[in-house]
Amino acid sequence: MSMITATVWVPRGFAAQFPTKYEFDEVEFNRIAALAKGQLEDARDDLEEAENKEPTVAVSNTKDELDDDLKEYDLEHYDDDPVPVEDDEMGEDGDTMGMFGNIKSLVYHGKDEEDPYITLPANEEEDEDREELQILGTDNMVLAARIEDEVAHLEVYVYEDAEDNLYVHHDVMLPAIPLAVEWIDFPVNKKDAPEGGRGNFVAIGTMDPDIEIWDLDIVDCMYPNAILGQGGQAEPEKPKKKKKKSKKARDDYHVDAVLSLAANRQHRNLLASASADQTVKLWDLNTTQCAKSYSYHTDKVCSIAWHPVESTALLSGSYDRTIIAADLRAPDKGQRKWTVESDVENVKWDPHDSNYFYVTTESGVLHYFDARIQPSATARSAAVWRLQAHDESISSFDANPIIPGFLVTGSSDKQVKIWNVKPNSGPSMVVSRDLDVGRVFSTTFAPDAEVGFRLAVAGSRGNLQIWDTSTNKAVREAFATRVAPEKMGTMEEDVQEKLVGLALSDDEESDEEEEMEQREDGGVEVDVSIRHFRSMFDPKPTSSFCLEKLPHINPHVYNNITVPTDQDILPASVEQVDMSKADNNISGRLALVTGASGGKRRIQKERTDILMTTVMHAHVETAHWLPHFAVQQLIHQVLRIGAACARDLYAAGASLALTYSTNKTSVDNLISDLHSSAPTTSTTQTISSHQVDMGKDEDIIRLFSELSSHHNQPGPDILISNAGYGKRISSILDIPLSEFDHTLNINLRASFHLIKLAVPHMQSQHWGRIVLISSIAGYGGGINGAHYAASKAGLIGMGKNLAMKLAGDGITVNDVAPAMIGETGMIPSEETVKGTAGDVKNIPDRVFDGPEYFVEWWVEMSEMFAMG
């Protein structure tokens, strides 16, 4: 098993150009002996205790038990002085016959320089070593806390940006699983350092309660420069009797795992730490002692951050679902507390506006709070905005210190997402990637302007990746105006996306591969999430949701971005929904909607039977029961479902590509309406229209070529295959073969062709949504003939198959099977069906619904359930 639990960058210019080799002298020995005194005493006590419990075993070492083969060598007298050699022991050439008999003939040199066989001067070898360890001023150190085969260590990488090179410079052995890493620029335990001098150190928090501080400019160091905690005390308390270590919180050191560290960049001798013992401690690096202990929270404190301007203000987040901002000069006064919907994962101040801060939670929500607004003491705190960024825990988060509004989130769903926050508006997703690091545990931006777009990503697979996000076209377009042009290069140039990292060797096996083997062997599932190592307590049961208990849902509650209100993310009357299965955020995505014009308007005068059904499909991506709707019978030329889908998708922030066959005017009017209804802040959404005959392969191929030129991507992120055809012929005897072929060609074959061309782009980003508009006729009902029923049944079967095949690529497939819908050419009003089976009196909720209701219901449910 190999994984990286935390990473941190070292700014340029702080690392020594030539790191020194560790020297173990008498001074170093005395220092280690003093630091290790307590550990040695504990080890001695353990040994004595073990000896008292174990009976001593007599070991016979008599001369008679020696091996007979060794007696002839008389090893007992091996070191005795040699006996003088007599003349009769000399050989024919004058050499002695004994061992080393010719030693007198050897040549000795008083100095190594005089020996011709020693050809490499010592200083030359030292120069080679120095050159191998050299770190240039344009290099960045990247520190990664790694667990590999139950051995913990800190790897010190060097990242050469100009060369696109990343390599391990040296590493440091650690005593326990590392959980937090913080770079320190203060010279710890450097008595010869000048006042105000800089250092290059790292503080490491582990599952042990002690914090270790290491000098990064010393290679192959055996022991930390300082230990903050009980292990670093000069004279540790010696218990009267050996007992299990107490978890009761203390004021002078932590007694449980250290979950977070924060170095104060203004008062450089101060380091804050947060622990599973529910306390926050302030350490003075001059004395390496705890200066103050704070107990604000009632559960594990998992994340802390210093205010970037007010140097004594500290933000802390806890598993008790609270965030507290406190002035450590007056810890008992002026505390502000915010509450969120689930356990806190990360807290961070906005580096570009210190009045605000970010909070990420276990439920995948990103909050943005205004620290100046006094939070309510009773209700859940209102955020400036809230974002359902992931459907699983946001295990890592960072705000770019160089580029305003540039955010990154990483999750246990293996996705890394880049977000763009514009002034006076909420965030929108720029790009989502699976960088092959497994469950994402760490995402950190580089701290220097020269490498401001570089992002370090690591996780459960144990490999570190440096992603140059500026090589991603969507990122370049989103942030080009916020940095100097020379930092971005030419926007029009075609740049290949750049990812620098160390690949796993063939003999290294990730934790996920081991977990898969255990499952195949009938073993239990292994929890390798970072929360498992942080908390080491029984996981909470996942809340369930019963479809039968689903009340009416307000769709606005489930929008990914919500305005500041007292309303919770979930309605109070609804049981907690397990939303940890899919990412249904569509803001910034491109949606292709076929048949958006509504086709030809026809009036169906025949009296028809209206069938209403609800069908449940067990789709396989999430092993959840998912709603599959059959609302009212539909013939697609008559209806405006495509237009209704386009309106809702555009309102949710998606760009659109709309197709029509002959009715261009209808699509042009729809686009005009969408533009007029769009908010003034909507500048990134685009709309294009395309004339496509779905019965012609060349038209469908041309459509995808036009998508590339209009929207700068090879395919859609969302495909709504709505265009269809149906000629009402009830009797099979009256259906020509040509009509059967044409119906299947438009309704089934065209959808197959569209999906075939759309899937490669969806697979490349590990995200895609495909919705097929089928019909209740596909289940054998309806008033149409066998040709139409066959085409729609084929769509349903194809959807089920593709849902299974594409689920692993992050692509979900659903089909929606409606019946007849009102407010259309077929049924323009309630009066049209009055007195028939479709009369509003025969509908259970007494509501005559149109396309907008149909689409609204679908959108509501798609946001509550992972579509599969």
Side-chain angles (χ1 to χ4, degrees), residues 716-721 751 754-756 758-759 762 767-773 798-799 802 806 811-816 858 867-868:
D717 307 305
I718 303 167
L719 171 62
I720 311 294
S721 185
S751 290
L754 288 167
I755 295 172
K756 185 177 178 65
V759 160
M762 296 179 180
W767 194 98
R769 296 291 180 268
I770 299 173
V771 179
L772 307 174
I773 307 298
M798 182 171 68
L802 292 176
L806 301 178
I811 304 171
T812 62
V813 182
N814 275 293
D815 70 272
V816 181
W858 165 59
M867 302 180 65

Side-chain angles (χ1 to χ4, degrees), residues 96-325:
T96 59
M97 301 296 291
M99 187 179 295
F100 307 120
N102 61 345
I103 194 170
K104 292 182 180 180
S105 63
L106 296 179
V107 179
Y108 295 92
H109 297 277
K111 297 181 180 180
D112 290 341
E113 291 79 1
E114 299 175 359
D115 192 338
Y117 294 99
I118 299 179
T119 58
L120 186 63
N123 58 348
E124 185 174 335
E125 185 176 353
E126 292 177 0
D127 290 342
E128 287 187 0
D129 290 342
R130 280 168 54 86
E131 186 176 349
E132 289 178 0
L133 296 176
Q134 184 179 12
I135 298 175
L136 302 178
T138 56
D139 294 341
N140 283 95
M141 275 187 171
V142 184
L143 314 179
R146 179 187 292 277
I147 311 163
E148 189 168 8
D149 297 330
E150 300 182 359
V151 176
H153 57 281
L154 178 77
E155 290 182 333
V156 180
Y157 291 82
V158 171
Y159 173 63
E160 299 173 329
D161 184 65
E163 305 296 331
D164 295 333
N165 187 31
L166 181 71
Y167 65 92
V168 178
H169 187 270
H170 64 279
D171 60 359
V172 176
M173 296 297 294
L174 300 176
I177 296 172
L179 302 177
V181 179
E182 180 72 346
W183 174 73
I184 301 173
D185 63 350
F186 183 79
V188 183
N189 271 352
K190 291 286 186 178
K191 298 180 180 179
D192 56 345
E195 185 176 355
R198 302 193 314 180
N200 185 27
F201 291 77
V202 60
I204 304 171
T206 68
M207 290 297 296
D208 287 345
D210 292 337
I211 302 168
E212 294 190 346
I213 298 181
W214 294 80
D215 190 341
L216 295 172
D217 292 336
I218 298 180
V219 179
D220 298 332
C221 193
M222 294 176 57
Y223 216 74
N225 285 67
I227 298 178
L228 308 182
Q230 185 180 16
Q233 293 182 346
E235 295 181 0
E237 297 179 4
K238 188 170 180 65
K240 295 180 180 179
K241 189 176 181 181
K242 192 76 175 178
K243 293 182 179 180
K244 186 178 179 180
K245 292 184 178 180
S246 172
K247 294 292 185 179
K248 185 178 180 181
R250 293 177 56 102
D251 291 336
D252 49 351
Y253 53 80
H254 288 301
V255 297
D256 208 337
V258 178
L259 306 183
S260 181
L261 297 167
N264 195 310
R265 299 305 174 193
Q266 299 181 53
H267 303 291
R268 296 186 302 121
N269 66 307
L270 296 182
L271 176 71
S273 61
S275 171
D277 63 12
Q278 305 179 15
T279 67
V280 173
K281 286 181 168 49
L282 185 63
W283 302 89
D284 184 353
L285 299 180
N286 284 313
T287 62
T288 65
Q289 298 296 315
C290 180
K292 188 70 176 177
S293 180
Y294 307 91
S295 299
Y296 297 136
H297 297 279
T298 59
D299 205 338
K300 298 173 177 65
V301 187
C302 58
S303 183
I304 52 176
W306 288 104
H307 194 279
V309 178
E310 300 293 335
S311 59
T312 60
L314 185 71
L315 193 68
S316 60
S318 169
Y319 291 170
D320 63 8
R321 305 187 177 188
T322 66
I323 305 96
I324 292 179

Side-chain angles (χ1 to χ4, degrees), residues 505-523:
S505 61
D506 294 337
D507 59 346
E508 286 181 324
E509 187 177 38
S510 72
D511 63 288
E512 293 168 24
E513 292 169 345
E514 290 181 356
E515 178 182 344
M516 185 60 68
E517 289 181 1
Q518 291 184 18
R519 289 180 181 178
E520 292 174 354
D521 294 340

